[in-house]
Short mmCIF file of all heavy atoms in Angstrom, two decimals:
data_model
loop_
_atom_site.label_atom_id
_atom_site.label_comp_id
_atom_site.label_asym_id
_atom_site.label_seq_id
_atom_site.Cartn_x
_atom_site.Cartn_y
_atom_site.Cartn_z
N MET X 1 100.85 80.97 121.52
CA MET X 1 102.05 81.79 120.91
C MET X 1 102.82 80.97 120.05
O MET X 1 102.74 79.76 120.12
CB MET X 1 102.69 82.46 122.02
CG MET X 1 103.33 81.45 123.02
SD MET X 1 103.97 82.27 124.48
CE MET X 1 102.56 82.82 125.37
N ASP X 2 103.63 81.66 119.27
CA ASP X 2 104.62 80.87 118.41
C ASP X 2 106.01 81.05 119.02
O ASP X 2 106.26 82.05 119.68
CB ASP X 2 104.64 81.46 117.01
CG ASP X 2 105.20 82.95 116.95
OD1 ASP X 2 104.47 83.87 117.18
OD2 ASP X 2 106.46 82.97 116.63
N ILE X 3 106.77 80.05 118.88
CA ILE X 3 108.26 80.06 119.25
C ILE X 3 108.91 79.76 117.86
O ILE X 3 108.85 78.62 117.39
CB ILE X 3 108.48 78.91 120.34
CG1 ILE X 3 107.81 79.31 121.59
CG2 ILE X 3 109.97 78.89 120.56
CD1 ILE X 3 107.98 78.22 122.72
N THR X 4 109.56 80.77 117.39
CA THR X 4 110.16 80.74 116.04
C THR X 4 111.68 80.73 116.12
O THR X 4 112.27 81.82 116.31
CB THR X 4 109.67 81.82 115.23
OG1 THR X 4 108.17 81.84 115.16
CG2 THR X 4 110.16 81.80 113.82
N PRO X 5 112.33 79.63 116.09
CA PRO X 5 113.74 79.49 116.09
C PRO X 5 114.32 80.43 114.90
O PRO X 5 113.87 80.34 113.75
CB PRO X 5 114.20 78.07 115.85
CG PRO X 5 113.02 77.33 116.38
CD PRO X 5 111.76 78.15 116.00
N VAL X 6 115.29 81.26 115.25
CA VAL X 6 115.76 82.30 114.34
C VAL X 6 116.31 81.67 113.03
O VAL X 6 116.10 82.23 111.91
CB VAL X 6 116.78 83.17 115.04
CG1 VAL X 6 118.06 82.46 115.49
CG2 VAL X 6 117.13 84.45 114.20
N ASP X 7 117.07 80.53 113.08
CA ASP X 7 117.53 79.96 111.96
C ASP X 7 116.47 79.30 111.10
O ASP X 7 116.56 79.35 109.82
CB ASP X 7 118.65 78.84 112.25
CG ASP X 7 118.15 77.83 113.16
OD1 ASP X 7 117.14 77.96 113.90
OD2 ASP X 7 118.77 76.74 113.29
N ALA X 8 115.44 78.80 111.69
CA ALA X 8 114.22 78.23 110.86
C ALA X 8 113.58 79.44 110.16
O ALA X 8 113.14 79.34 109.05
CB ALA X 8 113.34 77.54 111.71
N CYS X 9 113.49 80.59 110.77
CA CYS X 9 112.83 81.80 110.27
C CYS X 9 113.59 82.22 109.04
O CYS X 9 113.05 82.56 107.99
CB CYS X 9 112.77 82.84 111.28
SG CYS X 9 111.96 84.37 110.73
N ALA X 10 114.98 82.19 109.16
CA ALA X 10 115.92 82.68 108.14
C ALA X 10 115.75 81.78 106.88
O ALA X 10 115.58 82.15 105.71
CB ALA X 10 117.32 82.68 108.59
N ARG X 11 115.65 80.46 107.17
CA ARG X 11 115.35 79.47 105.98
C ARG X 11 114.06 79.65 105.34
O ARG X 11 113.97 79.57 104.11
CB ARG X 11 115.50 78.02 106.52
CG ARG X 11 116.97 77.57 106.80
CD ARG X 11 117.09 76.01 106.95
NE ARG X 11 116.19 75.48 108.02
CZ ARG X 11 116.47 75.44 109.26
NH1 ARG X 11 117.67 75.87 109.68
NH2 ARG X 11 115.63 74.88 110.16
N ALA X 12 112.98 79.99 106.09
CA ALA X 12 111.74 80.26 105.51
C ALA X 12 111.75 81.45 104.72
O ALA X 12 111.18 81.46 103.58
CB ALA X 12 110.70 80.36 106.59
N MET X 13 112.41 82.43 105.14
CA MET X 13 112.55 83.75 104.40
C MET X 13 113.28 83.55 103.07
O MET X 13 112.90 84.12 102.00
CB MET X 13 113.13 84.82 105.19
CG MET X 13 112.30 85.31 106.37
SD MET X 13 113.10 86.39 107.63
CE MET X 13 113.49 87.77 106.69
N LEU X 14 114.36 82.72 103.07
CA LEU X 14 115.12 82.41 101.82
C LEU X 14 114.21 81.71 100.91
O LEU X 14 114.23 81.96 99.66
CB LEU X 14 116.31 81.63 102.24
CG LEU X 14 117.45 82.37 102.86
CD1 LEU X 14 118.56 81.48 103.37
CD2 LEU X 14 118.11 83.46 101.89
N ALA X 15 113.49 80.74 101.41
CA ALA X 15 112.51 79.94 100.55
C ALA X 15 111.52 80.88 99.88
O ALA X 15 111.32 80.73 98.61
CB ALA X 15 111.88 78.86 101.30
N LEU X 16 110.96 81.76 100.64
CA LEU X 16 109.90 82.71 100.12
C LEU X 16 110.60 83.68 99.12
O LEU X 16 109.92 84.05 98.14
CB LEU X 16 109.27 83.45 101.24
CG LEU X 16 108.31 82.50 102.16
CD1 LEU X 16 108.01 83.30 103.48
CD2 LEU X 16 107.09 82.15 101.46
N GLY X 17 111.73 84.12 99.43
CA GLY X 17 112.50 85.09 98.59
C GLY X 17 112.88 84.49 97.26
O GLY X 17 113.08 85.28 96.33
N ALA X 18 113.03 83.19 97.23
CA ALA X 18 113.47 82.57 95.97
C ALA X 18 112.33 82.52 94.89
O ALA X 18 112.64 82.35 93.68
CB ALA X 18 113.86 81.11 96.32
N MET X 19 111.13 82.82 95.26
CA MET X 19 109.98 82.79 94.33
C MET X 19 110.21 84.17 93.48
O MET X 19 110.20 85.19 94.00
CB MET X 19 108.66 82.73 95.14
CG MET X 19 108.43 81.50 95.83
SD MET X 19 106.93 81.66 96.83
CE MET X 19 107.29 80.28 98.00
N LEU X 20 110.11 83.88 92.09
CA LEU X 20 110.49 85.02 91.31
C LEU X 20 109.31 86.09 91.44
O LEU X 20 109.64 87.30 91.50
CB LEU X 20 110.67 84.60 89.84
CG LEU X 20 111.97 83.76 89.60
CD1 LEU X 20 112.05 83.15 88.26
CD2 LEU X 20 113.17 84.56 89.99
N LYS X 21 108.11 85.66 91.08
CA LYS X 21 107.01 86.59 91.08
C LYS X 21 105.92 86.21 92.23
O LYS X 21 105.17 85.39 91.94
CB LYS X 21 106.34 86.66 89.73
CG LYS X 21 107.19 87.10 88.57
CD LYS X 21 107.01 88.60 88.37
CE LYS X 21 107.80 89.01 87.21
NZ LYS X 21 107.65 90.42 86.98
N PRO X 22 106.11 86.81 93.34
CA PRO X 22 105.09 86.34 94.41
C PRO X 22 103.68 86.83 94.10
O PRO X 22 103.51 87.94 93.64
CB PRO X 22 105.70 87.08 95.56
CG PRO X 22 106.29 88.28 95.03
CD PRO X 22 106.96 87.89 93.71
N ARG X 23 102.74 85.92 94.40
CA ARG X 23 101.42 86.30 94.20
C ARG X 23 100.93 87.17 95.36
O ARG X 23 100.13 88.05 95.23
CB ARG X 23 100.54 84.94 94.28
CG ARG X 23 99.15 85.14 93.58
CD ARG X 23 98.39 83.78 93.56
NE ARG X 23 97.76 83.57 94.82
CZ ARG X 23 98.10 82.53 95.63
NH1 ARG X 23 98.93 81.63 95.21
NH2 ARG X 23 97.43 82.31 96.70
N GLN X 24 101.60 86.96 96.45
CA GLN X 24 101.39 87.83 97.74
C GLN X 24 102.70 88.23 98.32
O GLN X 24 103.49 87.41 98.68
CB GLN X 24 100.64 86.91 98.77
CG GLN X 24 100.44 87.49 100.11
CD GLN X 24 99.70 88.74 100.09
OE1 GLN X 24 100.38 89.78 100.05
NE2 GLN X 24 98.41 88.85 100.06
N PRO X 25 102.94 89.47 98.17
CA PRO X 25 104.28 90.04 98.61
C PRO X 25 104.50 90.06 100.07
O PRO X 25 105.54 90.28 100.66
CB PRO X 25 104.41 91.37 98.01
CG PRO X 25 102.98 91.84 97.87
CD PRO X 25 102.18 90.66 97.65
N ILE X 26 103.38 89.98 100.95
CA ILE X 26 103.53 90.16 102.33
C ILE X 26 103.31 88.78 102.98
O ILE X 26 102.40 88.00 102.70
CB ILE X 26 102.38 91.13 102.95
CG1 ILE X 26 102.52 92.51 102.28
CG2 ILE X 26 102.45 91.21 104.47
CD1 ILE X 26 101.41 93.45 102.69
N HIS X 27 104.29 88.46 103.82
CA HIS X 27 104.27 87.16 104.48
C HIS X 27 104.31 87.31 105.99
O HIS X 27 105.28 87.98 106.48
CB HIS X 27 105.48 86.33 103.96
CG HIS X 27 105.44 86.15 102.53
ND1 HIS X 27 104.64 85.33 101.87
CD2 HIS X 27 106.25 86.68 101.56
CE1 HIS X 27 104.91 85.25 100.63
NE2 HIS X 27 105.79 86.22 100.31
N HIS X 28 103.62 86.55 106.70
CA HIS X 28 103.74 86.40 108.23
C HIS X 28 104.56 85.06 108.38
O HIS X 28 104.15 83.97 108.06
CB HIS X 28 102.37 86.18 108.83
CG HIS X 28 101.66 87.53 108.87
ND1 HIS X 28 100.23 87.58 108.49
CD2 HIS X 28 101.95 88.68 109.27
CE1 HIS X 28 99.87 88.79 108.61
NE2 HIS X 28 100.87 89.51 109.22
N VAL X 29 105.74 85.35 108.81
CA VAL X 29 106.81 84.29 108.93
C VAL X 29 106.91 83.87 110.36
O VAL X 29 107.76 84.55 111.12
CB VAL X 29 108.17 84.65 108.21
CG1 VAL X 29 109.09 83.48 108.18
CG2 VAL X 29 107.93 85.20 106.84
N TYR X 30 106.25 82.96 110.83
CA TYR X 30 106.39 82.42 112.17
C TYR X 30 106.05 80.91 112.19
O TYR X 30 105.41 80.36 111.29
CB TYR X 30 105.46 83.18 113.14
CG TYR X 30 104.00 83.03 112.84
CD1 TYR X 30 103.28 82.00 113.35
CD2 TYR X 30 103.24 83.91 112.10
CE1 TYR X 30 101.92 81.80 113.24
CE2 TYR X 30 101.91 83.77 111.86
CZ TYR X 30 101.32 82.72 112.43
OH TYR X 30 99.92 82.58 112.15
N ASN X 31 106.55 80.34 113.22
CA ASN X 31 106.43 78.83 113.42
C ASN X 31 104.82 78.57 113.68
O ASN X 31 104.24 79.02 114.61
CB ASN X 31 107.20 78.35 114.63
CG ASN X 31 107.18 76.85 114.80
OD1 ASN X 31 106.46 76.13 114.20
ND2 ASN X 31 108.01 76.33 115.68
N THR X 32 104.26 77.95 112.69
CA THR X 32 102.85 77.76 112.77
C THR X 32 102.50 76.54 113.69
O THR X 32 101.31 76.22 113.84
CB THR X 32 102.30 77.52 111.37
OG1 THR X 32 103.04 76.45 110.70
CG2 THR X 32 102.24 78.77 110.50
N ASN X 33 103.50 75.87 114.24
CA ASN X 33 103.28 74.83 115.28
C ASN X 33 103.10 75.50 116.55
O ASN X 33 104.01 75.54 117.40
CB ASN X 33 104.41 73.89 115.36
CG ASN X 33 104.55 73.04 114.08
OD1 ASN X 33 103.58 72.59 113.53
ND2 ASN X 33 105.78 72.93 113.58
N THR X 34 102.05 76.40 116.67
CA THR X 34 101.88 77.24 117.84
C THR X 34 101.58 76.37 119.16
O THR X 34 101.25 75.22 119.03
CB THR X 34 100.76 78.24 117.71
OG1 THR X 34 99.55 77.54 117.33
CG2 THR X 34 101.04 79.26 116.58
#
């Protein structure tokens, strides 16, 4: 399982959202250090 700290998830979403033209618009945002 993943344990995804909420603030880390928010930072990841901001980083992904900053990309102007995403090649892939769907993202699985979770701590990959499962």
Side-chain angles (χ1 to χ4, degrees):
M1 58 189 74
D2 69 276
I3 297 177
T4 304
V6 64
D7 54 338
C9 183
R11 284 195 305 275
M13 289 166 66
L14 285 171
L16 293 164
M19 297 171 194
L20 294 175
K21 294 267 185 181
R23 205 177 77 245
Q24 172 57 266
I26 300 174
H27 303 283
H28 287 131
V29 187
Y30 64 86
N31 188 347
T32 52
N33 296 315
T34 56

